[in-house]
Amino acid sequence: MISFIVRRLLATIPVLAMVAIIVFAMLRLTPGDPAAIIAGDSATPEQLEQIRHTMGLDQPMYLQLFLWLGQLLRGDLGVSLLSGASVTSMVADRAGPSIALTLSTILVSVLLALPLGIVAAWRQGKLLDRSVMAGSVLGFSVPVFVIGYVLILVFAVNLHWLPIQGYKPLSDGVGPFVRSLVLPTLALSTVYIALIARITRTSLIEVMGEDFIRTARSKGLREVGVLLGHALRNAAVPIVTVIGIGIAMLLGGVVVTESVFNFPGVGRLVVDAVLSRDYPVIQALILLFALIYVLINLAIDILYTVLDPRIRY
């Protein structure tokens, strides 16, 4: 297992190198000039050239790439073209709200989706099953930003139960911290609840038709024991896979949700960096997202061996 983990971690190096080169090339080849954004509309061509020279954007593309890769090898993500601040410190400052939102979304999604999927499989073809499936289709169909604005309208504007936007860190108190997370978490978790509940139901129904389930029932085990003690464990591999994929998909959902709820997280930092053509920030964030994807996939592969002893690497 240790050799497998080491091999997978070593395999991330060429993957991240390819991501870095592709992202660097795409940013330089797409229209947009950060020097023009900084200088403003009234800047003269001489002023623009001076700003480009200061930023190093007048150098050949391959030279810019080598300089950036050299910084990465030293663990330096560079500095923002606009603010001059360290990209590492910018990401660190924004990571807290995004981590809180991601963890709360995963927690809510798993706690709600697993029971819904289990109950739907248990009551297959009944009204409860159809209700859960209809809800999952609705969760897939409605965009996250629409759900977010509806939640704001109902719970913040009309009922005044929760804040409209913004984030309160845990240092401001548990109450304000939780209140600021409720609406973004509900909006973001909707699609993942639908996804995990549907996969849980399908996997359980497939396992419930196996011989060992009939054997368990013939021994007189209660249906709850059969479902939770035998079927759910054997259906865990696809469920864990979907939960892992859902966590990776959260990275995209966080960008939209943080924009809707004015969350000062990494997602908002991505949007601001893209709009201002802040190349070092965009490159660092995409590399960070790629690394998180790789680590999540590695964690899922390791969990496979725990859930199913037949799987060996």
Side-chain angles (χ1 to χ4, degrees):
M1 178 57 74
I2 294 177
S3 63
F4 167 73
I5 295 174
V6 171
R7 286 199 310 272
R8 288 290 299 269
L9 290 176
L10 290 176
T12 62
I13 296 175
V15 172
L16 292 179
M18 287 299 298
V19 171
I21 294 172
I22 292 172
V23 170
F24 183 91
M26 288 179 64
L27 287 175
R28 295 313 190 277
L29 295 175
T30 51
D33 185 357
I37 295 174
I38 295 174
D41 297 334
S42 58
T44 63
E46 291 76 16
Q47 290 173 322
L48 284 175
E49 281 303 317
Q50 181 60 39
I51 293 174
R52 290 193 187 101
H53 178 71
T54 304
M55 293 177 168
L57 298 175
D58 58 343
Q59 296 177 347
M61 189 185 297
Y62 72 88
L63 188 56
Q64 295 181 45
L65 175 62
F66 287 144
L67 290 173
W68 180 56
L69 292 177
Q71 286 180 334
L72 288 180
L73 291 176
R74 296 193 300 273
D76 182 8
L77 296 177
V79 296
S80 166
L81 293 180
L82 269 69
S83 66
S86 164
V87 174
T88 304
S89 64
M90 293 174 69
V91 174
D93 291 341
R94 300 293 193 96
S98 295
I99 292 174
L101 178 58
T102 303
L103 292 178
S104 63
T105 301
I106 295 168
L107 184 65
V108 169
S109 300
V110 173
L111 289 180
L112 291 180
L114 282 181
L116 288 174
I118 293 171
V119 169
W122 178 44
R123 306 297 294 173
Q124 182 186 4
K126 307 294 184 183
L127 178 61
L128 191 57
D129 177 30
R130 293 175 182 174
S131 301
V132 172
M133 289 302 98
S136 70
V137 172
L138 188 64
F140 277 125
S141 306
V142 183
V144 171
F145 70 91
V146 174
I147 297 173
Y149 284 125
V150 170
L151 291 174
I152 289 174
L153 179 65
V154 174
F155 294 102
V157 176
N158 293 337
L159 299 177
H160 304 287
W161 289 355
L162 296 165
I164 296 176
Q165 291 180 326
Y167 170 73
K168 296 292 183 184
L170 192 56
S171 57
D172 289 355
V174 176
F177 171 70
V178 173
R179 281 168 52 82
S180 68
L181 281 176
V182 171
L183 292 184
T185 299
L186 290 177
L188 189 55
S189 62
T190 304
V191 64
Y192 301 106
I193 292 173
L195 176 66
I196 297 171
R198 179 173 284 270
I199 296 298
T200 301
R201 172 188 178 273
T202 304
S203 301
L204 276 176
I205 289 175
E206 185 177 341
V207 171
M208 294 290 280
E210 298 289 339
D211 291 339
F212 69 91
I213 295 295
R214 284 191 285 273
T215 303
R217 283 174 173 158
S218 66
K219 290 180 178 178
L221 288 179
R222 297 175 60 188
E223 194 64 20
V224 175
V226 174
L227 270 171
L228 301 181
H230 295 269
L232 185 60
R233 181 178 177 82
N234 286 278
V237 170
I239 296 172
V240 168
T241 303
V242 169
I243 292 174
I245 294 172
I247 295 172
M249 289 170 58
L250 274 175
L251 300 176
V254 161
V255 174
V256 177
T257 308
E258 289 184 354
S259 299
V260 171
F261 291 95
N262 196 24
F263 241 56
V266 175
R268 281 292 305 279
L269 184 60
V270 172
V271 175
D272 295 341
V274 170
L275 293 177
S276 58
R277 304 291 192 275
D278 200 341
Y279 295 153
V281 177
I282 301 171
Q283 292 163 176
L285 289 173
I286 293 178
L287 270 183
L288 178 63
F289 289 165
L291 178 62
I292 292 173
Y293 269 101
V294 172
L295 294 179
I296 288 174
N297 281 315
L298 176 60
I300 293 171
D301 287 342
I302 294 172
L303 270 177
Y304 284 166
T305 62
V306 177
L307 296 170
D308 191 344
R310 294 171 297 179
I311 299 177
R312 286 288 179 269
Y313 298 110

